[in-house]
Amino acid sequence: MHVAVVDPGVGTDRRGVAIAAGEAVLVGPDNGLLSWAAAATGGARTAISLTNRDLWLTPDAAPTFHGRDIFMPVAAHLAAGTDLASAGEEIAVSDLVTLPPPASRVHDGTAEGEVLTVDTFGNVQLSISAADAGRIELSATAGTSCCAAGAGS
């Protein structure tokens, strides 16, 4: 059971979903956030719109606290054995919002990629694979520093 709540659309009509993917169940907003996790765990098999208010913390969820009022309570019910289908209405997996995969490319001895994460120590995870780093002879050792950064570079 995995719950994710990065939800700039909270309080709008974006739906909450539970997704069966591989051996995992993912719960959160249908804004693309769960798409990479679904792909990494074997692909979405079933998707449910979280419309069963009986599983929510309160039937009148606060418009800005869907993580607390909807996603976590539904996830708790599912983790305790409630059937996924009882969480709401089934929707087509193809109707889920997805994010494009992170882009990277190697060209003329350089690699271009996207920043995926930055931790509190300043370490940056890029979309450039180890194989691509090897193609430009960049060693992937701890403390490696490289890169030019900037908007559009």
Side-chain angles (χ1 to χ4, degrees), residues 26-112:
L26 312 171
V27 177
D30 186 19
N31 62 6
L33 175 66
L34 304 175
S35 62
W36 292 353
T41 55
R45 293 187 327 267
T46 305
I48 303 293
S49 179
L50 304 179
T51 56
N52 182 353
R53 292 173 181 252
D54 290 339
L55 301 184
W56 297 8
L57 183 63
T58 175
D60 298 318
T64 56
F65 292 104
H66 289 179
R68 177 196 70 191
D69 293 348
I70 301 172
F71 305 146
M72 289 305 297
V74 169
H77 282 284
L78 296 174
T82 299
D83 184 58
L84 180 64
S86 70
E89 300 171 13
E90 186 166 355
I91 57 175
V93 168
S94 61
D95 288 343
L96 292 168
V97 175
T98 58
L99 297 176
S104 66
R105 72 181 188 125
V106 175
H107 181 71
D108 292 334
T110 63
E112 295 179 13

Side-chain angles (χ1 to χ4, degrees), residues 126-143:
L126 302 173
S127 61
I128 300 165
S129 69
D132 286 346
R135 288 177 51 202
I136 63 166
E137 299 180 6
L138 176 66
S139 104
T141 59

